[in-house]
Amino acid sequence: MKHHLNYIAGTWVPASQGGCTPVTNPATGEVIGHVPDSTVDDAHRAITAARAAFGPFRDLLALERADLLWALHGQIQRHAKDLAALVTEEQGKPLDEAKAEIGMSAAYVRWYAEEARRIAGEGIASAWRGRHLMTLRQPVGVVAAITPWNFPSSMLARKIAPALAAGCTVIAKPAPQTPFSGLAWGALCDAAGLPPGVVNILTGDGATLGGALMAHEDVRKITFTGSTAVGKILIAQSAATVKKLSMELGGNAPFIVFDDADLESAVAGAIAAKFRNAGQTCVCANRIYVQDGIHDAFLSRFVAAVQALRLGPGTAPGVEIGPLIDRAAVEKVAACVQDARAHGATVLTGGAALDRPGHFFAPTVLSDVTDTMLCARHEIFGPVAPVMRFATEAEVVARANDVRAGLAGYVYTRDLGRAFRMSQALDCGIVGVNEGVVTTEVAPFGGVKESGSGREGGREGVEDYLETKYVCIGGLGA
Ligand code: NAP
């Protein structure tokens, strides 16, 4: 499953100018291989292949596309062990988390294999006698997909699977830190029997390839998962050719624990929501708000649970936290802790990078945090948990919503009325009530405000790859 070449038009090819870039294992710093440093010409080749493949693929029966997705699902399951090992090797997460990610990739493909046959327009009650009105649902065309490194397999599953279900063809550019899991999709699609050009994967510099994909009029849609800063660049670039957009951008999730919460479950939920993937998930708990009455009890149990987390290379048995993706990530997280300290926060555990090979940062809990500190204003994207006090429901809603991001939010309470009120009041696209991990292929995932637009997963996930065409048929008689 480890391929070192681009997959374009159904063949494995090097970058047109022969360049390649190294990929490292974040747990050891060792180079684990090289991938093509693709050029604008390579992007154009992929666009040509995807454009040529689009017509015939669009014209397949929905059943035929569903069958191809089932075959793809079968290939993921068949190679699950190797795919998970690849994720751990290049991304660093513990092997069990990597296996879960591959399970999610398979689950998305399965879901959209099922959904592929349920794409349907509708008949509309006519405004005129003698005319029939209806809508058709048609694929948008060639789709460019740009993905981050934190879930290098499943982020592509969430894009490739609904795109194929809709009848679109795809050009995917995985992140440079984790290209092998992206290129593996080429091997999977090939083995599943997808026609050449339907899925193309190429690696290389984001700005170069993104620029080429965004400028090209044959690319009709861009689906991006990554930082809000890059999302804004792509949104601006899309204007020139008026592309359809799906943007899954950064988060800053509040995790709110009310006095009436089940303490054990709130602590377990906070550990899962904060430390999964070493805190490098877009739905990570970024600000933990705890009500006065439960604050001290929560904090002491939470710190004990954090101190019990086992850190190490993702391949070592029992490890729960792996390394951060690279040196820059460690420095960013360290800067958050330093800023919090400088402004009066207390480091209750952790607080520094570890002096060992790889990019490890100690799981950290900060107390006495305020909303104006860097760690509260921005997405930390690392294993640092800032804990803050609050007094009332109205206060915590106002504070939780006072950020520009709006992806996930979490609430722990045993009061049913409050659970409903909070679900409605939080400005975000996803709410977990008494649950710290809520992502599933059957439900829509996505954000509001600067966390993006569009949804992945659920029935909604395929909508982003479809156009609605209105057809009015006249001349039918009175
Ligand atoms: P990133 O820096 O935005 O990079 C994401 C991808 O965009 C990479 O493939 C990158 O490739 C590419 N890229 C960078 N600049 C580009 C440009 N000018 N044009 C086109 N492509 C460009 O994000 P990241 O650090 O990899 O990922 C972390 C971010 O993703 C976090 O903010 C996280 O919250 C967000 N995220 C969101 C979701 C969600 O569903 N909402 C899910 C996961 C992650 P190069 O590095 O080669 O430039």
Side-chain angles (χ1 to χ4, degrees):
M1 280 291 121
K2 196 168 177 181
H3 290 265
H4 296 73
L5 297 175
N6 288 331
Y7 182 70
I8 297 177
T11 53
W12 295 98
V13 289
S16 53
Q17 290 180 2
C20 57
T21 41
V23 183
T24 56
N25 178 333
T28 61
E30 286 163 7
V31 173
I32 56 171
H34 292 77
V35 292
D37 191 6
S38 307
T39 61
V40 169
D41 280 350
D42 296 315
H44 287 164
R45 254 174 224 142
I47 295 168
T48 302
R51 184 76 191 86
F54 174 61
F57 191 64
R58 174 197 57 201
D59 294 341
L60 290 180
L61 297 176
L63 174 63
E64 291 168 330
R65 280 197 297 273
D67 284 346
L68 286 167
L69 280 160
W70 278 115
L72 185 55
H73 175 261
Q75 289 299 326
I76 297 170
Q77 289 202 307
R78 184 166 170 209
H79 297 286
K81 211 170 147 205
D82 290 347
L83 293 168
L86 210 49
V87 168
T88 293
E89 187 185 25
E90 64 181 353
Q91 200 276 336
K93 66 183 63 173
L95 198 51
D96 281 348
E97 283 190 30
K99 286 179 187 161
E101 178 177 345
I102 299 303
M104 280 307 290
S105 291
Y108 279 106
V109 172
R110 178 180 181 163
W111 174 258
Y112 286 108
E114 293 163 353
E115 286 295 291
R117 300 192 69 194
R118 301 190 191 115
I119 295 166
E122 61 179 8
I124 302 169
S126 182
W128 300 281
R129 292 188 202 291
R131 295 192 212 176
H132 181 77
L133 315 187
M134 62 184 181
T135 58
L136 304 177
R137 308 306 311 282
Q138 296 185 310
V140 293
V142 174
V143 172
I146 300 179
T147 48
W149 45 263
N150 61 343
F151 289 90
S153 175
S154 65
M155 290 295 124
L156 276 169
R158 280 151 64 144
K159 301 181 185 307
I160 290 174
L164 299 184
C168 298
T169 55
V170 180
I171 300 149
K173 191 213 87 70
Q177 297 91 338
T178 56
F180 290 120
S181 299
L183 291 167
W185 279 96
L188 294 166
C189 290
D190 202 58
L194 278 151
V198 169
V199 173
N200 307 274
I201 320 277
L202 76 168
T203 57
D205 177 60
T208 306
L209 301 180
L213 294 165
M214 295 307 293
H216 207 293
E217 61 189 21
D218 282 350
V219 176
R220 294 314 317 143
K221 177 185 168 72
I222 166 83
T223 170
F224 172 71
T225 300
S227 62
T228 298
V230 173
K232 287 179 182 179
I233 294 172
L234 298 174
I235 292 167
Q237 288 177 339
S238 74
T241 53
V242 192
K243 295 191 200 314
K244 209 171 161 81
L245 296 170
S246 294
M247 292 283 144
E248 298 284 348
L249 309 178
N252 183 347
F255 186 100
I256 302 166
V257 184
F258 284 96
D259 284 346
D260 64 3
D262 178 313
L263 188 54
E264 295 300 328
S265 122
V267 169
I271 293 286
K274 177 71 249 182
F275 293 102
R276 191 166 63 105
N277 202 12
Q280 304 170 111
T281 79
C282 51
V283 289
C284 257
N286 205 60
R287 295 167 289 151
I288 302 179
Y289 293 105
V290 189
Q291 205 166 12
D292 282 333
I294 203 173
H295 178 272
D296 293 352
F298 175 89
L299 200 54
S300 64
R301 285 184 200 219
F302 183 56
V303 168
V306 172
Q307 286 170 336
L309 289 170
R310 280 161 296 180
L311 181 136
T315 46
V319 158
E320 293 158 295
I321 298 207
L324 299 188
I325 190 68
D326 52 24
R327 182 56 44 201
V330 172
E331 284 164 10
K332 185 178 162 225
V333 172
C336 269
V337 174
Q338 198 184 358
D339 172 85
R341 264 201 180 112
H343 291 93
T346 308
V347 177
L348 296 177
T349 187
L354 298 189
D355 186 16
R356 57 182 284 177
H359 310 303
F360 291 91
F361 198 95
T364 299
V365 180
L366 304 174
S367 67
D368 308 311
V369 173
T370 64
D371 290 325
T372 54
M373 292 176 186
L374 200 56
C375 60
R377 300 305 308 164
H378 297 283
E379 191 180 29
I380 302 167
F381 235 58
V384 174
V387 180
M388 294 176 266
R389 281 178 183 277
F390 73 93
T392 67
E393 190 177 314
E395 175 205 332
V396 80
V397 168
R399 290 171 65 188
N401 288 342
D402 188 25
V403 291
R404 291 164 73 168
L407 188 55
Y410 305 90
V411 179
Y412 275 72
T413 178
R414 282 184 283 197
D415 177 331
L416 189 59
R418 175 176 276 154
F420 273 91
R421 285 196 302 278
M422 291 299 294
S423 302
Q424 289 188 323
L426 289 177
D427 290 342
C428 48
I430 303 162
V431 177
V433 178
N434 298 324
E435 293 291 345
V437 178
V438 298
T439 306
T440 161
E441 76 281 7
V442 307
F445 183 107
V448 300
K449 300 200 287 189
E450 292 193 10
S451 287
S453 59
R455 293 293 180 268
E456 294 189 329
R459 254 185 313 111
E460 292 82 351
V462 78
E463 297 292 324
D464 281 12
Y465 297 87
L466 293 166
E467 298 285 12
T468 300
K469 183 184 282 176
Y470 157 54
V471 180
C472 170
I473 305 176
L476 299 176

